[in-house]
Amino acid sequence: METSLSIGTLAKECGLTVEAIRYYEKQGLMPKPHRTESGYRFYKATDIDRLSFILRLKRLGFSLKEIRELLLLKSAPEKNHQQIHQLAEEKLEDIEHRIKDMLRVRHDLVTLLKSCSKAHQDSSCPILNASNPFAKDS
């Protein structure tokens, strides 16, 4: 007979909250668990592996939509290898783009801090007077 885990035990095993597991169920990332007559959820030991996979992908920056897609592709990895590889390449490109953006933001902030004298007590503070990056050039 297969081991049954309560939602609390599953949450503890995976380092999640019960609410997070319910959320993943609602998002279609977790299969609907077996329920007792009184409505308690019971999970299989394999659900620990599934949640670990989901959490690993989240840490790598994949969205829930992308994780859902990868879970579907995982059912036949030999057949879906090309698609899996493509999704991972796209995620890497996205992360590298975000890193470049953050480095640009860091540079701008360092420049502002260097131009700011701590002695400024008037309205000439370069940080407060920095132009709005969302303003349209006139």
Side-chain angles (χ1 to χ4, degrees):
M1 183 165 169
E2 190 167 356
T3 306
S4 292
L5 304 168
S6 69
I7 193 168
T9 302
L10 180 63
K12 189 174 183 178
E13 286 286 325
C14 295
L16 291 169
T17 64
V18 168
E19 292 78 18
I21 293 172
R22 287 182 186 138
Y23 178 74
Y24 291 146
E25 278 179 37
K26 288 178 188 167
Q27 296 302 311
L29 299 175
M30 290 294 294
K32 296 288 180 196
H34 169 74
R35 286 185 179 256
T36 63
E37 287 182 23
S38 56
Y40 289 105
R41 292 171 167 92
F42 278 96
Y43 297 85
K44 300 174 185 173
T46 56
D47 290 326
I48 294 172
D49 295 334
R50 187 175 181 100
L51 278 170
S52 296
F53 180 74
I54 291 166
L55 294 174
R56 186 171 51 252
L57 291 175
K58 277 189 66 180
R59 278 192 297 275
L60 290 172
F62 286 92
S63 69
L64 294 184
K65 179 182 174 192
E66 292 165 329
I67 292 170
R68 191 177 303 106
E69 187 174 349
L70 285 166
L71 283 166
L72 290 171
L73 295 172
K74 188 180 181 195
S75 63
E78 62 287 337
K79 185 173 106 179
N80 300 316
H81 176 75
Q82 203 64 31
Q83 282 180 281
I84 294 167
H85 190 82
Q86 181 64 34
L87 282 170
E89 281 184 342
E90 289 170 8
K91 182 52 59 184
L92 180 59
E93 286 176 24
D94 177 54
I95 288 169
E96 288 182 357
H97 178 74
R98 286 190 279 156
I99 288 170
K100 285 179 185 175
D101 285 346
M102 291 304 295
L103 287 171
R104 207 171 7 259
V105 168
R106 181 187 181 278
H107 175 267
D108 292 348
L109 185 56
V110 167
T111 301
L112 267 177
L113 286 169
K114 284 180 180 176
S115 69
C116 181
S117 165
K118 291 180 184 174
H120 281 291
Q121 301 261 327
D122 57 13
S123 63
S124 65
C125 175
I127 295 172
L128 295 177
N129 293 325
S131 64
N132 181 352
F134 304 107
K136 295 186 179 189
D137 294 331
S138 346

